[in-house]
Amino acid sequence: MTSKRLMLVHAHPDDESSQSPATLARYVAEGAQVTLVTCTLGEYGEVVHPDLEHVRETLGSHRLEELAEAMAALGVTDFVRLGGDGTYHDSGMVEVAPHVIEPMPGRAANAFWDADLLEAATHLVALLRDRRPHVVVTYNPIGGYGHPDHVQAHRVTMYAVALAGVPSFRRDLGEAWQVPRVLWGTFAADDWRLALTTARQAGLELDWEVPDSDDDLPPMVTPTHDLCAHVDRTRWHEQAVAALAAHRSQVDLDEPFWRMMTAAPLPGLLGESYVLAAGVPYPEGGPADDLFAGLDLD
């Protein structure tokens, strides 16, 4: 059987380690070809540790070093930036209302949010046709929690997947490749409720209330019945925490949210959930435990 091939498209260094580290570590360990595409260098990221204030002026290159350390923890060797290092700049974010986020005013001229969609998608088409992934993972249409670069990563990925499968589009970029399955990463509602409840019982002070119904879920959380696949994190927990800790300019593991995300055991967040966005459906019977379930890889 052909080896599994997986590609994940994230907006900034650290997004992969906060949202899909177990997925990355698992499929590397299983011998799959795993590719991480990061769209920007995260130049506008908030430096959370005072002892790293000196890297603010060179934050993009520093975050690449953190990314390399995180990938070493997860075993990923194929990690690239969309269009090459520095092609697209972090767009920044300003929350103008709850869950309403806009790009930073006065942002860099090459901010990812302002990128020409066809141009950015074409960069990804080249990667899709070269790596030929069976499964592609990115964000939902609102970018999970709404960061403009996450939204743009969603748009670029979905457009590129469509273009990559058109034989007459940019033949110079390689043979057409129709991605068999596209997934959007998310949190499962039942997991979210359990994690919040457990965190509160442990004395962690968090900004979120435990949602009573699916109508009250934050935008990065999905009703459990809408999930198509779930990757258990238990076996990969230590690697996942090590990868997140590598992004020390961005992540303070003592902060309550990250304590909730990394504590073991917090069974509600010992996994990564996905929604089917396009392509081959999963077998019936609840969320699959393998992103490749039901695919003919031969």
Side-chain angles (χ1 to χ4, degrees):
M1 184 177 72
T2 302
S3 296
K4 298 174 179 178
R5 299 191 297 271
L6 173 67
M7 178 179 288
L8 297 91
V9 182
H10 279 290
H12 315 103
D14 87 80
D15 290 331
E16 82 297 324
S17 295
S18 63
Q19 299 179 46
S20 44
T23 299
L24 289 161
R26 170 185 169 175
Y27 287 106
V28 167
E30 291 184 3
Q33 173 187 300
V34 177
T35 301
L36 170 67
V37 181
T38 306
C39 297
T40 80
L41 304 185
E43 296 92 339
Y44 287 147
E46 179 183 0
V47 178
V48 299
H49 287 289
D51 60 345
L52 289 176
E53 276 296 322
H54 65 283
V55 306
R56 185 172 296 279
E57 295 302 316
T58 57
L59 186 57
S61 59
H62 178 82
R63 293 189 70 178
L64 278 183
E65 295 175 4
E66 293 180 340
L67 179 62
E69 183 179 339
M71 293 302 93
L74 299 176
V76 177
T77 58
D78 184 22
F79 54 105
V80 298
R81 267 61 63 200
L82 185 68
D85 290 356
T87 299
Y88 298 112
H89 194 285
D90 188 350
S91 305
M93 58 174 279
V94 178
E95 187 168 11
V96 296
H99 307 308
V100 179
I101 299 175
E102 296 181 354
M104 182 185 297
R107 55 193 174 274
N110 61 331
F112 189 45
W113 176 254
D114 300 312
D116 180 86
L117 184 58
L118 178 58
E119 175 190 84
T122 300
H123 289 311
L124 188 55
V125 168
L127 291 169
L128 289 167
R129 289 182 176 176
D130 180 67
R131 272 52 166 199
R132 307 178 82 75
H134 300 106
V135 176
V136 170
V137 173
T138 192
Y139 310 97
N140 66 12
I142 58 172
Y145 70 90
H147 193 297
D149 287 337
H150 291 214
V151 174
Q152 185 76 323
H154 162 84
R155 294 171 177 171
V156 168
T157 302
M158 300 307 292
Y159 194 20
V161 165
L163 292 174
V166 179
S168 61
F169 177 76
R170 291 294 301 271
R171 294 181 185 275
D172 59 305
L173 297 179
E175 183 181 354
W177 176 250
Q178 186 64 58
V179 176
R181 179 178 286 158
V182 182
L183 304 177
W184 297 338
T186 188
F187 290 110
D190 290 345
D191 288 357
W192 187 253
R193 291 188 182 94
L194 178 58
L196 286 177
T197 300
T198 305
R200 291 182 185 282
Q201 291 171 348
L204 297 181
E205 296 184 7
L206 299 166
D207 294 334
W208 292 285
E209 297 296 328
V210 180
D212 294 326
S213 73
D214 288 348
D215 294 333
D216 301 321
L217 295 174
M220 66 283 200
V221 181
T222 298
T224 303
H225 60 76
D226 285 334
L227 302 177
C228 67
H230 182 83
V231 174
D232 190 283
R233 182 171 171 169
T234 306
R235 182 177 174 185
W236 317 108
H237 181 73
E238 290 187 8
Q239 283 178 264
V241 174
L244 192 59
H247 294 284
R248 57 186 59 85
S249 71
Q250 305 299 300
V251 178
D252 179 359
L253 293 183
D254 291 329
E255 194 271 335
F257 175 78
W258 294 117
R259 287 174 62 191
M260 179 185 78
M261 291 285 286
T262 59
L266 268 186
L269 282 182
L270 293 183
E272 295 158 11
S273 298
Y274 297 94
V275 172
L276 179 66
V280 179
Y282 282 88
E284 296 182 1
D289 62 1
D290 180 6
L291 301 190
F292 297 85
L295 289 181
D296 182 0
L297 304 182
D298 291 323

